[in-house]
Amino acid sequence: MILSILIPVFNEEKTILELVRQVQQVKLPKKYSKEIVIVDDGSTDLTWSKLSFFKSNKKIRVYRHEKNRGKGAAIRTALKHSVGEIILVQDADLEYDPQQYIKLLKPMDNKKVLVVYGTRLKSYPVSLFGPKRTPLVTHYFGNKLLTSITNLLYGVHLTDMETCYKLIRKSVFDKISIESNRFEFEPEITAKILKRGIKIYEIPIHVNPRGYNEGKKISWIDGIAALKTLLRYRFFS
């Protein structure tokens, strides 16, 4: 069985090569193999130049948008070029550890399991003060709020709707069209999965959050867009 790892990337010249190296090093269970599909979403730094290194690698496919179109658009392009039975999206900024693929895949041994999310917020300690203060605490509570709204609107009990690590069988994607171009991909795919009555299994994961000075791109504006997306697909689509 093939795990397709989709990597949308925009201006990540400092991390993209290390990220790909980490993904390559992951040793999946014997029943799985992996393919890596990278889409450079119109980077203006050296990201595309560095990705050119992989053009001759048969296990890594690299594509490019001439102009920046957003994470959702990059994922749509990657999906078109993927062949795996299971799809996983991997951010290129090193916040998420690819070694966690192994435990995220375990529920997929049951063919009835269609979707698995890696939840950051189930076991993530929150500290408002001191040397161990939670980084980007507003993002933490923003994610909590959006997840709570998701639960209220769709009658579920998720803990981390906005997580990057979403393992979804290709058969689910075949029935769902992704329309969002930017970070609204996360609430859109979640809403459409839940509206189809598909159960989302959650597995706790650990992350290494980065700040805006390290290249983080999502902002409060994207939080508002996520809320609008949740409402749209609950009541109007």
Side-chain angles (χ1 to χ4, degrees):
M1 187 177 296
I2 299 174
L3 172 67
S4 293
I5 301 158
L6 313 186
I7 307 178
V9 54
F10 174 65
N11 287 352
E12 299 289 2
E13 63 180 8
K14 295 180 181 179
T15 60
I16 185 59
L17 293 183
E18 173 60 19
L19 183 278
V20 174
R21 184 190 69 80
Q22 290 184 16
V23 172
Q24 288 178 302
Q25 285 189 334
V26 176
K27 294 183 178 179
L28 300 178
K30 290 183 179 179
K31 66 183 294 184
Y32 293 101
S33 61
K34 60 176 178 278
E35 68 163 0
I36 302 172
V37 184
I38 307 172
V39 177
D40 178 7
D41 189 32
S43 293
T44 57
D45 63 0
L46 295 177
T47 297
W48 178 242
S49 175
K50 292 188 175 185
L51 286 175
S52 298
F53 175 78
F54 300 113
K55 286 185 177 179
S56 60
N57 190 317
K58 295 182 179 179
K59 294 184 179 180
I60 301 176
R61 294 197 294 284
V62 180
Y63 304 91
R64 188 179 191 222
H65 292 166
E66 290 300 321
K67 294 182 180 180
N68 179 249
R69 293 161 53 191
K71 181 177 181 178
I75 291 171
R76 281 202 303 273
T77 297
L79 275 170
K80 291 178 183 178
H81 297 284
S82 65
V83 299
E85 293 90 343
I86 300 175
I87 306 295
L88 179 148
V89 177
Q90 170 73 60
D91 285 346
D93 55 14
L94 300 181
E95 282 195 13
Y96 290 77
D97 179 7
Q99 289 296 332
Q100 295 177 106
Y101 297 170
I102 299 167
K103 65 178 180 179
L104 290 170
L105 279 168
K106 284 184 179 179
M108 289 288 187
D109 289 342
N110 183 343
K111 292 182 179 180
K112 293 182 179 180
V113 175
L114 302 179
V115 180
V116 177
Y117 280 18
T119 172
R120 304 160 295 173
L121 306 184
K122 205 167 190 175
S123 58
Y124 187 63
V126 181
S127 177
L128 300 180
F129 307 100
K132 294 185 178 181
R133 180 178 181 274
T134 301
L136 296 173
V137 69
T138 55
H139 279 257
Y140 175 88
F141 287 112
N143 287 337
K144 280 282 193 181
L145 176 61
L146 288 171
T147 300
S148 296
I149 292 172
T150 302
N151 291 338
L152 178 64
L153 290 174
Y154 295 90
V156 291
H157 300 282
L158 297 178
T159 62
D160 189 5
M161 179 275 292
E162 286 279 1
T163 181
C164 167
Y165 275 176
K166 294 174 167 70
L167 271 74
I168 304 173
R169 290 194 190 271
K170 186 63 161 50
S171 59
V172 175
F173 270 112
D174 289 340
K175 299 174 183 177
I176 294 176
S177 60
I178 301 301
E179 303 171 43
S180 300
N181 285 329
R182 290 179 50 78
F183 294 111
E184 308 96 277
F185 164 79
E186 312 293 358
E188 179 188 356
I189 191 64
T190 301
K192 290 183 174 180
I193 286 169
L194 294 176
K195 286 191 75 172
R196 286 185 168 270
I198 298 172
K199 181 176 180 179
I200 297 174
Y201 291 80
E202 289 191 306
I203 300 294
I205 61 171
H206 296 284
V207 295
N208 181 30
R210 67 172 182 170
Y212 286 105
N213 61 325
E214 298 172 290
K216 193 172 187 67
K217 299 174 180 70
I218 196 167
S219 71
W220 64 271
I221 296 176
D222 297 296
I224 294 174
L227 176 57
K228 290 180 178 178
T229 301
L230 290 170
L231 292 169
R232 173 188 172 191
Y233 289 110
R234 176 62 182 87
F235 298 112
F236 305 107
S237 296

